[in-house]
Amino acid sequence: MVASNTIDRGRTLLREQPVLALAGVAGAVLVLDLLARLAGVEVPLVGDRTFGGSLGMGRFGGLLWNGIIVGLIFGLAGIGLSMTYSILNFANFSHGDLVTTGAFTGWGAALLVAGWGVADVGHLLLVRPGSGANPNEIGASIAQAPLSILIGAAVAAVATVVVAVAIDRAVYKPMRDRGGIALLIASIGVALALRYVIQFVYGSRNRGVTSTQDVNATVLGITIDLHEATLVLVAAGLMLGMHLMLQRTKLGKAMRAMADNKDLALVTGIPTERVVTATWVLGGALAGVAGYLYVLERGTIEFNLGWFLLLFIFAAVILGGIGSIYGAIAGGFVIGFVHEVSLIWVPSDFNAAAAFTIMILVLLYRPQGLFGGVTTA
Amino acid sequence: MSDAPLQVRDLKKTFGGIVAVDGASFEVEAGSLTGLIGPNGAGKSTTFNCITGAHTPDSGTVVFQGEDITGRRPDQIANRGLVRTFQIARELEEMTVLENLMLAPKGQLGEQLWRSVTPIARGEVIEQEAELRERVWETLDFFEIDHIAHDEAGTLSGGQRKLLEMARAMMTDPDLLLLDEPLAGVNPTLEEKLLDRIHELRGQGYTFLLVEHDMDVIMDNCEHVIVMHQGSVLAEGEPEVVQSDDRVIEAYLGEIDV
Amino acid sequence: MSADGSNDPDADAPGPDAEGPSADGPADLAAYLRAEVAATDFRIVVATMLAVYALFAVFTLLAGGGLNTLGSTWVRLTFLFAAYAILSLALNLHWGYTGLFNIGVAGFMGVGVYTMAVLSTPPDAISGMGLGLPLPVGIVGGMLAAALVGLVAAVPALRLRADYLAIVTLGLSEIIRLTLNSATLSGWTIATFGFGTGGGSGIDLPARPTDALLDTVVGTALVDVLDPTITASVLRRSLWVLVMIGFVIGIYVLLARVGNSPFGRVLKAIREDELVAQSLGKDTRWFKIKVFMLGCALMGLGGILWQGSQGYVSPDSFRPIVTFYVFVAVIIGGSGSNTGSLVGSILFVGLLFEGPRTFGNIVSNAVSLPSAPGTFAGAVAPLASLDVTPLLSYLVGNISAFRFILLGVVLILIIQKRPDGVLGHRTETAAAIDLDRPAANGGGNDE
Ligand SMILES: Nc1ncnc2c1ncn2[C@@H]1O[C@H](COP(=O)(O)OP(=O)(O)OP(=O)(O)O)[C@@H](O)[C@H]1O
Ligand SMILES: [Mg+2]
């Protein structure tokens, strides 16, 4: 009974959405292959290709953990992108550069606090633009200077909000009545200008930031990287906070209403400009913190870091369904896992392409996102 | 089986929870001028959309000239000779009135990319363009919009847009024309003239299905009237009969739901 | 623009002439006026170009450069004008005419250039490995490959909303670049088929065919005559630039014909309101697929003539920023206008792309500034003691960052204040003939 139902549904899907059905089958094969690899089963196919193989639990666990880490970054940054996309009605191509803004401003503050007296203020505030004290001398790590790391996160949020709101006032506000494409093009202009202002001020060098001393701790026999642990805690905390804000507060409800239907919100008298500002404040803060945490985890910083993340963030948002913050979070994890776990099958110069391919397929065949059709924030 | 060119059976269309068309069935006789009336929201425009392929109906069939066209693409339906106008005029804003009309005719050689760029074939395209231009100017003169021929359609007034819309539909040389409130916003003299022209075209064998809110227009011009209410056909027949139908009166007064 | 939109220099005459012998006065006058207006269009392009040449002549003279430097500068400018002109004409066909918001231009260029390279690069190149086929095979192959990739993208993607199409094409262009960048893939194709892209280290390209001209008897004689004033290298590059200008004119004429035809009319209608076009019986899917393929082929060609003509190319040349450059050029000129695309390309290259850098060079040469401080902190700290020179020299030293900031700001300002581009709102009528009331008809035949 159940089986025949499933078959029926499969048939319908095959007829109505052949590509999606194909993708489902491919996904199932990959999962089986993964299980076979984990179990160490290997079935020879054509040539030197095999089904299954061997994959240590340790490596798999490592990939999954990496997937969670990058997934949280994509998701955290994606929340803001998703909100601006649905509430302001345009794809914001400068979102990645807001992420970069947060990374630089936040780390400038963190280094300043952690390295006070070790190096001159310019060197610290500009996040080591040239030669000078090295990261370990400055000592910005969660183990050595936890306070500086937290202050940095707060500064990242505040500074990014200031930048985001200022840009909104100068660029997007005069264009509120224009179509999504005009705004999109404007956002490309913003992206260029912002990225190169950052380069102008902070320089173009890719450099180390965090101190690596004492960041590995052993808890219950497992070695964990304290910076990664911090990232997971902070990101999860912010996501939870976002959830509470949207469900419990009046502002959150207004934002959900506007994400669903801007005209309706206009009619029912929700002060839209206030909601728009709130969108930039929340989205900007999360983007800034996401950039800051990303640097905390990878240890280095450069001026186009956010721009390189942009397509992944878009992928997360699209996968989750534009306008849904839960979707953005879930989409972040999916893209994060695809990015990392796909390494089992594809060489490392193709895992980004795999993530983009999935994004394109979703846009083509399931533009409402993977998780249902409702776009309620 | 009747031989009416347009046969609509049990048409149904829902949007989310709203049932816009709920099992509407009717026929339009060849060479007739049929009126389709009904209160606001009765589902007239949605019926047009389902007939012409702009929407896919949830269920039901549409038969045009003996062929089932349900769910076909709009261009396939239009090319079979069933052409519609839109209630809210959809002029091509940044195209001039002339371009709007030149766009419409079927079978334009120059719509093939290779013909429009290869030297000798382009000569034929140019010849055909000259012929079309003659027809376009005749149509412009008839609809009295020749003085705005070079204006961009986005700059026209509401009434002018309606005229443009109808003129453009006529340029496709259709067999059956679905007109969604073509007279809204058109001045009375022109309205007369338009109706005259519609009668004239009917004489030549064209068929019309006309949505119109002005009862007098319907009563004076249509020989057959279909009344829609809440998505289905409430009554149909000759104007006088329909006009005195109690259910129709009630539906229009909105006092009871049928 | 003339009423029949004959914005190609060659079409202003045939347009009115071809349609009938109505040789009475008014028609002649109209034809004359049309020719005049069309010529004005051409003049706008030439005047813009001359103005930019003049500006750079002043720059060069100020910097103390000689005739050879000036020639070299002009050749470089013209090279970039032509490259951007081809790409913006192609993008204008997609976006300006049809409303297809394609921001994957760089990807299609990459497909064109790499296909050409793989077909025509000799098998013994230092980096990458080609099949060594004749260059024309490579060029045609590159265009076909770009068109085919366009087809594969177009079939599912062209029904998407404009912003989704934008994201899909950007994603596709990045996938293409990452694929070209893959060492694994290149190694595998070399092992299996005997050709490869060279991965991140790039691929060597066949020589420009025009270079050989200077080795002929006439060529060497010319070099000898000009040598001290104009060097052989400038001469060699200018020959190629002439070829590119030929392509620009050809593509312009082609696209003007595409636009001024019933085909172009349907494209415009699709841009304005696709449902209307469909309701008038146009199968818009095919129009979109064809126009997308044509535009992609031209993007491939543009890539080949530009990035493909410099002896070597790497996937880095196809970053999304290139697409945005082309977009800026189209937007400056006003999307929807072929003439605008040309003017936009010239202004973009002259004022935004090359201008700031050249200007920076002049300033740094003229005002012997101290060497630039290494960091922004070093530049602003002396401000406390009212010393602005470090900041100035930092500015000049980082003029390239400044150029991008300028680019972004200009893009924002144009889209905010002048969305129709510098030439303002233009109507280029989409028809193969002049649509005025035919004079022979006498006009007003109704009442
Ligand atoms: N695209 C749509 N999405 C959701 N609801 C729709 C849509 N189109 C129509 N409706 C709804 O379907 C119902 C029928 O609308 P329709 O436009 O067909 O009525 P109508 O008879 O043409 O009315 P009017 O005389 O006002 O033009 C209405 O309740 C309308 O709100
Ligand atoms: Mg209606």
Side-chain angles (χ1 to χ4, degrees), chain C residues 290-371:
Chain C
K290 281 183 196 166
V291 89
F292 202 74
M293 288 178 70
L294 175 62
C296 288
L298 293 178
M299 287 167 188
L301 178 63
I304 290 171
L305 295 174
W306 176 15
Q307 316 274 19
S309 69
Q310 302 185 313
Y312 163 84
V313 76
S314 83
D316 269 352
S317 300
F318 306 106
R319 290 194 175 276
I321 188 81
V322 180
T323 303
F324 297 144
Y325 289 157
V326 181
F327 251 91
V328 174
V330 171
I331 291 172
I332 290 180
S335 77
S337 155
N338 286 330
T339 308
S341 296
L342 296 187
V343 172
S345 302
I346 296 170
L347 290 179
F348 166 76
V349 169
L351 302 186
L352 297 176
F353 195 79
E354 287 289 278
R357 208 176 50 118
T358 316
F359 186 70
N361 284 346
I362 292 169
V363 172
S364 62
N365 286 344
V367 199
S368 61
L369 286 166
S371 69

Side-chain angles (χ1 to χ4, degrees), chain A residues 145-226:
Chain A
L147 188 65
S148 74
I149 300 298
L150 292 183
I151 290 177
V155 170
V158 173
T160 312
V161 166
V162 170
V163 170
V165 172
I167 290 173
D168 179 60
R169 289 292 174 275
V171 179
Y172 305 123
K173 194 170 179 189
M175 300 176 68
R176 287 271 194 270
D177 56 339
R178 302 274 294 278
I181 290 301
L183 288 163
L184 191 160
I185 293 171
S187 82
I188 291 177
V190 171
L192 277 175
L194 184 55
R195 189 177 328 144
Y196 286 93
V197 166
I198 292 173
Q199 196 223 63
F200 187 73
V201 173
Y202 291 95
S204 55
R205 201 165 72 97
N206 183 5
R207 63 266 198 174
V209 176
T210 53
S211 163
T212 49
Q213 286 163 3
D214 309 325
V215 290
N216 285 328
T218 309
V219 182
L220 302 173
I222 305 171
T223 309
I224 55 167
D225 178 326
L226 288 179

Side-chain angles (χ1 to χ4, degrees), chain B residues 52 54 73-76 78-79 82-84 86 90-96 98-100 102-113 116-119 122 125-126 128-130 132-134 137-138 141-142 144 146 150 152 168-169 172 193, chain C residues 3 14-15 18-19 254 256-258 260-266 268-285 287 290-291 294 420 425-438 441 443-447:
Chain B
T52 56
R73 292 195 313 270
D75 55 283
Q76 293 175 317
N79 278 326
L82 178 54
V83 174
R84 58 90 60 91
F86 293 90
R90 297 178 76 137
E91 70 289 344
L92 302 164
E93 286 191 26
E94 289 200 14
M95 293 171 77
T96 63
L98 277 165
E99 283 178 298
N100 265 272
M102 289 289 289
L103 172 72
K106 289 179 207 158
Q108 298 192 37
L109 295 174
E111 281 177 10
Q112 284 155 313
L113 178 56
S116 62
V117 296
T118 12
R122 192 172 166 89
V125 171
I126 287 175
Q128 201 193 30
E129 290 269 275
L132 293 183
R133 182 178 56 188
E134 297 274 340
W137 277 100
E138 279 169 25
D141 287 339
F142 172 74
E144 296 182 353
D146 50 322
H150 290 286
E152 287 192 3
R168 196 173 60 193
T172 64
K193 217 168 126 55
Chain C
E19 59 189 71
L254 175 80
R257 288 189 159 210
V258 171
N260 301 328
S261 74
F263 184 82
R265 211 144 60 211
V266 178
K268 253 179 144 177
I270 291 173
R271 177 190 74 192
E272 296 292 307
D273 191 335
E274 192 172 353
L275 180 59
V276 169
Q278 289 170 337
S279 299
L280 294 171
K282 316 295 175 195
D283 186 355
T284 54
R285 300 170 310 165
F287 286 90
K290 281 183 196 166
V291 89
L294 175 62
D420 285 326
H425 187 70
R426 297 167 63 82
T427 27
E428 300 184 0
T429 304
I433 55 167
D434 169 15
L435 290 184
D436 275 336
R437 185 190 292 275
N441 212 4
N445 56 354
D446 55 335
E447 52 216 324

Side-chain angles (χ1 to χ4, degrees), chain B residues 5-6 51-53 62-84 104 106-107 169 172-177 206-207, chain C residues 278-283:
Chain B
L6 180 65
I51 294 175
T52 56
V62 181
V63 175
F64 180 61
Q65 294 176 340
E67 192 182 355
D68 186 348
I69 56 163
T70 325
R72 290 282 169 81
R73 292 195 313 270
D75 55 283
Q76 293 175 317
I77 295 173
N79 278 326
R80 283 180 169 71
L82 178 54
V83 174
R84 58 90 60 91
K106 289 179 207 158
T172 64
D173 201 10
D175 296 332
L176 198 164
L177 207 55
Y206 290 90
T207 309
Chain C
Q278 289 170 337
S279 299
L280 294 171
K282 316 295 175 195
D283 186 355

Side-chain angles (χ1 to χ4, degrees), chain B residues 44-45 87 180-181:
Chain B
K44 306 179 295 290
S45 298
Q87 176 174 359
D180 200 346
E181 303 194 21

Side-chain angles (χ1 to χ4, degrees), chain B residues 15 18-20 38-47 55 87 181 213:
Chain B
F15 298 104
I18 303 166
V19 185
N40 287 338
K44 306 179 295 290
S45 298
T46 308
T47 304
H55 290 153
Q87 176 174 359
E181 303 194 21
H213 275 298

